[in-house]
Amino acid sequence: SSDIRVFSITDHDSIMGSIEMESLVNKHTTTHSNARHISFIPGVELSCVSPAGKCHILGYNYDKNNKDLLMLIDKVKSMRKNNLDKRLDFLKNVYSITFSQKEIDWLYSLNNAGKPHLAKLIIAQHKASTILVEVFSIYPYATDACKCPLDTCGRHDDSVP
């Protein structure tokens, strides 16, 4: 038995996981009246860029209907999609790495596809064997668009992230 009484999930640039978890916790406490009460605190991890570099801001107990928050998340989601497009183009043009339509569809079906997802696909093609060590060192610009030599990653303007 666990002594956990309070917990949170902080999705990366999304509140969908918190919304789903809140629903599961509510369902659990409703259907199991004799269950211990567990408190869930909704969380979000927002990617940010400042002159000092990248950072992630954790937010807790937010209003999931706040229009400003929802607009920010939509903006970040659009920017992440643009970064994904650029990373896929970079992998294709510089390393001749392409993905099947099924793999591309999978990437775009994710709430926030990022570097780890690309790394898994690269590993699946046997072009690398480990995510953190090999993929990120062999294909640095595809996995860290901020170091893009052509200023094409979108980070070089005043936008977030």
Side-chain angles (χ1 to χ4, degrees), residues 56-150:
H56 301 276
I57 298 173
L58 299 177
Y60 296 96
N61 219 19
Y62 52 81
D63 175 2
K64 66 184 175 190
N65 298 310
N66 181 285
K67 289 181 183 181
D68 291 330
L69 174 63
L70 297 175
M71 285 177 21
L72 175 64
I73 289 172
D74 282 345
K75 179 180 178 181
V76 169
K77 186 174 185 174
S78 175
M79 294 174 81
R80 288 177 69 88
K81 182 193 173 298
N82 288 337
N83 279 341
L84 177 60
D85 293 341
K86 291 171 186 169
R87 287 178 174 135
L88 289 170
D89 286 344
F90 189 85
L91 283 167
K92 180 181 177 182
N93 296 331
V94 175
Y95 297 108
S96 299
I97 294 176
T98 58
F99 301 103
S100 70
Q101 189 59 51
K102 183 178 178 180
E103 291 168 323
I104 291 171
D105 290 346
W106 173 73
L107 285 169
Y108 286 110
S109 74
L110 300 172
N111 195 34
N112 282 320
K115 295 180 278 188
H117 305 102
L118 281 173
K120 287 178 184 179
L121 291 179
I122 291 169
I123 290 168
Q125 291 187 9
H126 306 290
K127 301 206 185 285
S129 59
T130 59
I131 292 176
L132 294 176
V133 178
E134 194 173 355
V135 171
F136 292 159
S137 63
I138 294 174
Y139 310 107
Y141 301 127
T143 57
D144 190 359
C146 297
K147 296 178 182 173
C148 175
L150 305 175

